[in-house]
Amino acid sequence: MGQIKGKVWIFGDDIDTDAIIPARYLNVSVPSELALHCMEDADPSFSGKVSRGDVIVAGSNFGCGSSREHAPLAIKEAGIACVIAKNFARIFYRNAINIGLPILESEEASAFLKEGQIVEINLEKGEITESSSGRIFSAVPFPPFMQEIISAGGLINFIKDGQ
Amino acid sequence: MGQTMTEKILAKAAGKKKVYPGELINAKVDMALGNDITAPVAINEFNKIGVEKVFDQERIALIPDHFTPNKDIQSAEQAKLVREFARRQKIVHYYEVGRMGIEHALLPELGLALPGELIIGADSHTCTYGALGTFATGVGSTDLAAVMATGELWFKVPPTIRIVFEGRLPPWTSGKDLILYTIGQLGTDGARYAALEFTGPVIAGLGMDGRFSISNMAIEAGAKAGLIPPDDTTARYLQGRAKRPYEAVLGDEDAAVQQEFRWNVDEMEPQVSVPFSPANARPVSRVAGTKIDQVVIGSCTNGRIEDLRQAAALLKGRRIHSRVRLIVIPATQAIYLQALREGLLEIFIEAEAAVSTPTCGPCLGGHMGILAEGEVAVATTNRNFKGRMGHPQSQVYLAGPAVAAASALAGEIIHPRELGEVN
């Protein structure tokens, strides 16, 4: 996992999986096609303006609703390098770790960061730095077991490594 | 200090004497489930692991129910991928169109979800089986792939939030009203990461169908599971149905819970959750008069025989409002056939409803009743997020079967007791 530096896109509380990737696009599971509709029902123009390496910053309960792994897949494939939220819905949290989409829980960062700001993120340390002010936010650290899955690059690699 | 149902079930599955909230465990899974949307992703991940065979051909259920009967070529390709995998792997519990049902109605009906078991499904409404005293939880496709390969998965032991319903359910209310009320009280993340446990005299008096509606929507409060202690009603339901021997698990009376709520339901009105959150629960009289275009009665929440009976009791001998489209979707083939034999389908068709083969269809905006811009629906389904049933500028009001049927007749949201004045 390298250093992340990207532009912040702000979303509110309770961003559900239907907003992240509407079910009308779930008749395919190819990530590149899902990415075209990423966040479409929350911000229809999102997939056209996001750049590789950008960061989503949201409020509480991000990813609530369905279990569709297509949601973190669409976000990852759209180029989002990390999702920061006050907290995540349970299944989305698992799915993101399992597919290797970096996520961080930070109430402070979620409250402070504004759209368009540039953040630098050190995933190993769980540190988020807002570039212009230099302000640093700490994310809630992952338990060691989950850190192992993340380090392996997701659950499938973790299982393969264990075999 | 005793243990909750959740802790006991998870301890057993992990081969431990005791587990504690917050503990990370590796546990054996009794049954794993996927559908036509989530299984294709899981199969792809399964193939990457490099094992030849699934861990147990009898403990995996693959049920194409979301976009089936296939709504377009791409859906057909997804369903084909699942079908071919099921054949190659000799999956015992693969259910094709014509034999299938909505997964969370079908598995209990077939006796494949049992008290004391640990079940995972790549579908968020897997928590439905909690109604049988099963610890059942929704996961993603990669988790399903891992279980298909190894039969095991990691879990964080959740704390328990207990909901005790006291009093008597008033006329026109059902399990759906209890769960909408609960989500309204807790909010969409009020039970995040926790296991909900529903108990008390009102639950004890409910039949299985009402209980399934309750456990089904535990996820809408963010919960990991929604359990109901198994009792005589559970045992009767499972008699002649259970496909495996099982051991019912009850929590200890002195078990520590994170929170407990006691609510008296004597004065509870039928509940309606207004757009765009299941947590926006209101007494129906607060939203009465809202004009509607469509009503959907069905889904893994409310497509069971009791739900259809409640709707039919109101629709009998009447015709729905000329402005309204009513779509009724029995959740499984067996329910469909029973509704036919009981004369319910005749009532629906004479009321000018469209009756469909089992499918999740409109609930998630898949097919069989998509809403256009500006349209408003009352649905017995489980989510009313923006765009859930179609156009992002459409709206869904969630309700139980009685309010849904009454509103179809009135052309607007109405308390079923007001119906006499309509026709």
Side-chain angles (χ1 to χ4, degrees):
Chain A
M1 283 184 286
Q3 191 80 7
I4 292 167
K5 185 173 183 181
K7 196 201 281 187
V8 167
W9 298 97
I10 296 285
F11 290 89
D13 292 337
D14 295 318
I15 296 295
D16 61 78
T17 52
D18 281 287
I20 297 170
I21 180 75
R24 57 185 176 273
Y25 303 120
L26 298 185
N27 54 0
V28 294
S29 49
V30 183
S32 58
E33 290 191 35
L34 298 172
L36 298 174
H37 306 289
C38 180
M39 309 304 288
E40 187 169 298
D41 282 2
D43 177 359
S45 63
F46 186 73
S47 73
K49 62 190 184 189
V50 67
S51 302
R52 194 150 289 276
D54 284 357
V55 173
I56 286 177
V57 177
S60 64
N61 208 24
F62 185 86
C64 62
S66 120
S67 70
R68 62 189 70 156
E69 206 161 288
H70 312 64
L73 281 172
I75 291 173
K76 192 180 177 190
E77 190 67 18
I80 293 295
C82 182
V83 182
I84 300 167
K86 185 177 168 191
N87 53 50
F88 293 88
R90 187 189 68 84
I91 305 177
F92 185 92
Y93 182 91
R94 279 188 88 103
N95 284 347
I97 289 171
N98 285 346
I99 68 157
L101 169 69
I103 55 171
L104 293 173
E105 283 186 350
S106 170
E107 189 168 350
E108 276 192 308
S110 166
F112 177 84
L113 292 170
K114 304 270 183 298
E115 184 131 323
Q117 287 178 329
I118 303 296
V119 286
E120 290 179 49
I121 299 171
N122 182 319
L123 288 173
E124 273 85 15
K125 289 186 184 164
E127 272 183 10
I128 305 153
T129 309
E130 196 278 305
S131 290
S132 66
S133 67
R135 187 163 168 188
I136 297 173
F137 306 94
S138 298
V140 179
F142 290 102
F145 169 73
M146 266 177 238
Q147 193 59 56
E148 283 178 45
I149 298 177
I150 295 165
S151 302
L155 185 64
I156 296 302
N157 287 338
F158 178 75
I159 292 172
K160 280 168 77 175
D161 293 348
Q163 278 177 350
Chain B
M1 182 66 73
Q3 298 179 85
T4 62
M5 282 175 77
T6 288
E7 288 154 19
K8 285 186 181 180
I9 295 171
L10 290 178
K12 195 176 92 182
K16 294 185 149 201
K17 264 199 143 134
K18 254 186 156 181
V19 295
Y20 300 90
E23 187 178 345
L24 285 162
I25 56 165
N26 209 47
K28 280 201 164 64
V29 170
D30 291 296
M31 195 84 204
L33 163 83
N35 59 48
D36 52 319
I37 291 180
T38 59
V41 179
I43 290 164
N44 194 30
E45 295 302 310
F46 175 86
N47 290 336
K48 289 183 196 165
I49 297 174
V51 294
E52 287 287 311
K53 286 187 176 157
V54 297
F55 85 105
D56 188 337
Q57 292 146 334
E58 293 187 24
R59 289 183 183 270
I60 294 165
L62 294 175
I63 305 172
D65 59 357
H66 277 59
F67 291 162
T68 55
N70 302 326
K71 78 184 182 91
D72 53 27
I73 294 170
Q74 288 163 315
S75 304
E77 295 294 340
Q78 300 278 93
K80 185 177 163 192
L81 198 152
V82 179
R83 183 181 307 115
E84 287 177 349
F85 178 82
R87 281 186 189 153
R88 201 163 55 241
Q89 290 286 343
K90 300 188 170 60
I91 301 291
V92 176
H93 299 295
Y94 169 78
Y95 296 97
E96 190 56 85
V97 169
R99 294 165 206 116
M100 53 72 85
I102 298 174
E103 50 196 345
H104 308 308
L106 189 65
L107 251 62
E109 182 182 288
L110 294 173
L112 289 170
L114 298 166
E117 290 191 337
L118 170 60
I119 297 186
I120 63 106
D123 189 278
S124 59
H125 293 108
T126 301
C127 52
T128 308
Y129 322 135
L132 292 161
T134 312
F135 189 90
T137 190
V139 296
S141 294
T142 299
D143 280 322
L144 172 60
V147 175
M148 289 200 299
T150 66
E152 295 178 2
L153 196 63
W154 67 270
F155 297 90
K156 190 159 118 183
V157 179
T160 292
I161 298 175
R162 186 177 293 146
I163 312 281
V164 186
F165 290 113
E166 293 169 334
R168 281 176 70 115
L169 264 184
W172 310 114
T173 55
S174 63
K176 181 64 165 285
D177 303 291
L178 295 175
I179 189 63
L180 291 182
Y181 181 82
T182 301
I183 300 160
Q185 295 295 311
L186 298 179
T188 49
D189 65 350
R192 213 167 46 89
Y193 287 96
L196 285 171
E197 190 181 303
F198 302 94
T199 64
V202 178
I203 298 291
L206 268 185
M208 279 314 306
D209 287 2
R211 296 183 185 188
F212 284 127
S213 301
I214 293 175
S215 293
N216 173 270
M217 289 188 71
I219 175 74
E220 312 316 334
K224 182 168 189 167
L227 292 98
I228 293 176
D231 58 11
D232 291 346
T233 302
T234 323
R236 270 196 307 277
Y237 177 82
L238 291 168
Q239 202 150 35
R241 197 190 292 268
K243 290 285 196 301
R244 297 182 286 268
Y246 68 90
E247 208 175 312
V249 172
L250 295 171
D252 297 323
E253 287 200 0
D254 62 342
V257 296
Q258 182 177 286
Q259 275 177 295
E260 179 173 294
F261 297 93
R262 302 183 87 87
W263 293 318
N264 187 297
V265 302
D266 283 344
E267 306 293 323
M268 182 184 276
E269 262 197 50
Q271 302 287 302
V272 175
S273 287
V274 309
F276 292 104
S277 169
N280 294 339
R282 314 265 187 272
V284 61
S285 55
R286 292 256 314 269
V287 287
T290 307
K291 298 274 184 281
I292 58 171
D293 303 287
Q294 177 167 301
V295 171
V296 174
I297 298 174
S299 84
C300 59
T301 315
N302 279 119
R304 298 181 182 81
I305 195 70
E306 270 303 318
D307 304 313
L308 302 184
R309 285 178 189 146
Q310 283 170 30
L314 287 158
L315 293 165
K316 190 172 185 180
R318 291 168 155 147
R319 279 192 191 162
I320 58 169
H321 193 279
S322 58
R323 199 176 49 240
V324 174
R325 314 179 294 268
L326 170 60
I327 299 164
V328 181
I329 312 179
T332 67
Q333 289 287 86
I335 295 167
Y336 201 159
L337 191 56
Q338 192 172 346
L340 176 78
R341 288 176 176 153
E342 290 184 15
L344 308 184
L345 299 191
E346 202 175 320
I347 292 170
F348 296 140
I349 292 168
E350 283 181 353
E352 301 185 332
V355 183
S356 160
T357 193
T359 180
C360 304
C363 171
L364 75 162
H367 62 151
M368 274 305 295
I370 304 303
L371 299 174
E373 182 173 3
E375 287 193 325
V376 177
V378 171
T380 66
T381 56
N382 42 56
R383 292 196 175 122
N384 58 352
F385 300 145
K386 198 176 170 196
R388 175 73 180 178
M389 199 174 275
H391 195 282
Q393 265 30 276
S394 61
Q395 297 189 332
V396 175
Y397 289 75
L398 301 175
V403 168
S407 302
L409 291 165
E412 58 187 46
I413 295 176
I414 188 176
H415 192 307
R417 73 175 171 221
E418 314 289 334
L419 255 193
E421 299 157 30
V422 173
N423 281 31

